[in-house]
Amino acid sequence: MARALAAPPADSALQPVFGDGGLPVVGHTLEYIRDPLKLLGSRWDKYGEVSWMTMAGQKWITVLGPDACQQVLQNADKAFANGDGWSLLIGPFFHGGLMLLDSEEHLRHRRIMQQAFTRDRLTKSVAALNPVTATGLDAWQPGRDFQVYPALKALTLDVATSIFMGGAEGTTDADIAELNASFIACVQAATSIVRYRVPGTRWKRGLDGRAVLDQFFRRYLPARRATETDDLFSVLCHIEGDDGEHFSDDEVIDHMIFLLMAAHDTSTITLSTMMQYLGQHPEWQDTCRAECEALGTDAPSFAQLDELTNVDLVMKECLRLVSPTPVVARRAVKDTEVQGKFVPAGTYASVAPHFTHHMEQYWPNPEQFDPGRFAADRREDKVHRYAWEPFGGGVHKCIGMFFAGAEIKTIMHHLLLRFDWTVDPDYVAPLNFTSLPFPEDGQPVQLRRR
């Protein structure tokens, strides 16, 4: 039964936010994990752009559609805090990461970190990325049911470790496996129903995972402090702000843990989605491969990646179809409004770009794979400034978005030159939305070496 979240002030023309809590204790959490688009679509149909429901033990407003998303993400009245929202979900695991900072602290950290993502550094990163990718793909064993998602996840973790850390000397395969498992545990803890250190729970595994990650990076910190190199870890140890300030050891560790997670988890699902749809649409696979072959190199430079226009279209379409970050979290730090609805201070807000990316009002045939919708003669993404928002918006827009695009296109270039693959046209990836989406079946493809 629909109920108001809170009564607006008596002298206000604002409307209350209506919604419902869902099941006792779990609220709508399980519905979201099973099928977020179905849940969010039902909220849109019943309540419109803004409604409330219970998730992760708290009442959240659900913000749907580009107008409402834009209002919260641009945050003109500075009513919504980023850190307060995310901290409820992932604070114990990724505290201190740029996504969990606000106001002056966020601006200070972002100004310093932007020096790590300049065009010159991106150019060097792509040059280093090519040999790591080639070595990783050498180990792939093609077959009829090649599990592409775990293979890509291992590859992107290798890439992130190499590019961001300059390698991890002395690290064994078992260490890397533990590192990957720790990242997974931290990310999946976000939707825990039991949020205490209880053995056997996702929350406990996440806390243990954070301890492993912290210990791993601290092992390498003294060497990175001692020698300045081009890898991100070293850069974070040595870069300084306009006033000469540096990151502390704890700040470097916090940023490295968050950035390494973001750099390989989000890229993995996008690459995996691209392989699925290119396997189901061979005409696009052939077009993209011809474009890669036209570069005349198996190690493209950062500048050459701009010539992969069709690969870029496919990447953008896959970011639309499967948003690596389906929702972003905020919390109101003062009374405010969203699209004329009263939102009291303290309210958690879930902003859902994944839903916007599937709205028929903005995307004709939204479930259809159609990279041409991003082409210059169509630009469906331009129908609204926030119709396509896989990297968020406002002052918290993803600082690594250009690195992510370069990484994805570089790896896809190597894949297209080395392999061809097919996927059953009727295949639908069984995506698990416990946290960041991933295919539960490993996303099998029929992979052949060229």
Side-chain angles (χ1 to χ4, degrees):
M1 181 177 178
R3 303 191 309 273
L5 175 65
D11 59 349
S12 169
L14 298 175
Q15 298 296 311
V17 174
F18 284 97
D20 60 88
L23 295 173
V25 182
V26 300
H28 290 278
T29 304
L30 299 180
E31 292 175 72
Y32 174 84
I33 291 173
R34 283 194 296 266
D35 191 339
L37 284 179
K38 181 179 179 181
L39 172 63
L40 298 177
S42 70
R43 311 304 287 182
W44 173 269
D45 293 339
K46 190 172 184 179
Y47 300 113
E49 293 175 291
V50 187
S51 62
W52 73 268
M53 61 181 173
T54 301
M55 293 275 288
Q58 296 286 342
K59 290 182 178 179
W60 292 71
I61 61 166
T62 301
V63 181
L64 303 175
D67 291 323
C69 289
Q70 179 175 8
Q71 184 177 349
V72 175
L73 294 179
Q74 288 189 337
N75 197 23
D77 62 351
K78 295 181 171 55
F80 288 99
N82 202 61
D84 281 2
W86 282 116
S87 291
L88 176 69
L89 301 175
I90 59 173
F93 320 110
F94 296 107
H95 54 79
L98 194 63
M99 193 171 75
L100 280 77
L101 303 179
D102 281 295
S103 303
E104 290 304 315
E105 185 181 27
H106 170 258
L107 289 176
R108 180 179 76 85
H109 283 246
R110 192 176 180 99
R111 286 193 197 103
I112 298 174
M113 288 186 67
Q114 281 173 338
Q115 298 174 59
F117 293 96
T118 62
R119 185 174 182 87
D120 179 59
R121 292 197 186 278
L122 288 174
T123 298
K124 293 178 180 178
S125 293
V126 170
L129 202 160
N130 278 300
V132 178
T133 301
T135 300
L137 293 180
D138 284 342
W140 281 25
Q141 298 296 320
R144 291 186 58 83
D145 291 306
F146 183 81
Q147 304 286 297
V148 74
Y149 180 82
L152 285 168
K153 193 161 179 25
L155 175 64
T156 58
L157 183 57
D158 283 345
V159 165
T161 302
S162 178
I163 303 303
F164 284 13
M165 293 186 61
E169 57 275 9
T171 301
T172 66
D173 289 344
D175 292 332
I176 293 297
E178 184 180 32
L179 196 68
N180 202 4
S182 298
F183 277 120
I184 292 171
C186 289
V187 171
Q188 292 193 348
T191 53
S192 295
I193 295 171
V194 177
R195 306 178 82 79
Y196 299 95
R197 191 186 283 271
V198 177
T201 62
R202 288 204 306 271
W203 195 257
K204 171 67 161 55
R205 288 193 292 272
L207 293 172
D208 292 344
R210 168 69 197 208
V212 169
L213 296 172
D214 194 278
Q215 183 181 27
F216 175 82
F217 285 104
R218 287 190 191 279
R219 185 194 316 168
Y220 295 98
L221 182 64
R224 298 306 185 273
R225 285 287 195 198
T227 305
E228 188 170 0
T229 56
D230 287 329
D231 63 89
L232 181 64
F233 201 172
S234 179
V235 170
L236 292 181
C237 286
H238 295 277
I239 55 177
E240 60 182 46
D242 295 337
D243 298 326
E245 69 271 34
H246 293 80
F247 286 139
S248 68
D249 286 356
D250 286 345
E251 288 172 337
V252 171
I253 298 298
D254 290 341
H255 284 311
M256 283 300 300
I257 290 174
F258 176 75
L259 288 171
L260 203 65
M261 178 278 294
H264 88 280
D265 263 354
T266 55
S267 296
T268 299
I269 186 58
T270 301
L271 283 162
S272 181
T273 305
M274 291 173 73
M275 289 197 72
Q276 174 196 330
Y277 283 103
L278 288 176
Q280 293 174 316
H281 298 270
E283 71 283 4
W284 273 100
Q285 186 177 154
D286 292 343
T287 297
C288 289
R289 181 175 292 109
E291 187 175 68
C292 291
E293 290 173 339
L295 291 185
T297 178
D298 57 3
S301 67
F302 180 62
Q304 286 177 307
L305 295 177
D306 289 338
E307 300 177 41
L308 301 182
T309 54
N310 286 294
V311 175
D312 188 67
L313 296 180
V314 171
M315 179 182 71
K316 288 177 177 175
E317 175 69 337
C318 289
L319 284 166
R320 182 190 70 82
L321 286 163
V322 181
S323 304
T325 307
V327 299
V328 296
R330 298 289 188 269
R331 192 183 190 193
V333 294
K334 62 182 180 181
D335 289 354
T336 187
E337 61 84 24
V338 179
Q339 296 298 291
K341 304 290 182 65
F342 173 64
V343 178
T347 302
Y348 289 96
S350 174
V351 183
H354 185 55
F355 179 76
T356 301
H357 294 171
H358 291 262
M359 294 179 71
E360 291 184 351
Q361 296 94 315
Y362 302 98
W363 305 96
N365 300 313
E367 305 312 313
Q368 179 181 330
F369 174 74
D370 181 10
R373 65 174 87 241
F374 290 92
D377 60 339
R378 291 173 61 184
R379 294 309 302 265
E380 291 177 13
D381 57 310
K382 293 298 185 181
V383 68
H384 190 290
R385 186 175 179 182
Y386 276 70
W388 187 72
E389 46 182 327
F391 298 102
V395 297
H396 285 281
K397 194 166 188 176
C398 177
I399 195 171
M401 59 184 293
F402 295 111
F403 172 82
E407 177 191 19
I408 290 167
K409 286 191 281 188
T410 299
I411 293 175
M412 186 53 62
H413 176 84
H414 283 261
L415 286 167
L416 287 163
L417 293 186
R418 284 171 174 257
F419 305 104
D420 59 42
W421 61 92
T422 57
V423 175
D424 186 334
D426 296 325
Y427 171 80
V428 177
L431 294 176
N432 183 311
F433 284 88
T434 301
S435 53
L436 302 182
F438 69 93
E440 290 186 310
D441 63 351
Q443 202 167 78
V445 304
Q446 185 171 343
L447 188 72
R448 298 175 294 276
R449 196 174 297 277
R450 291 174 55 80

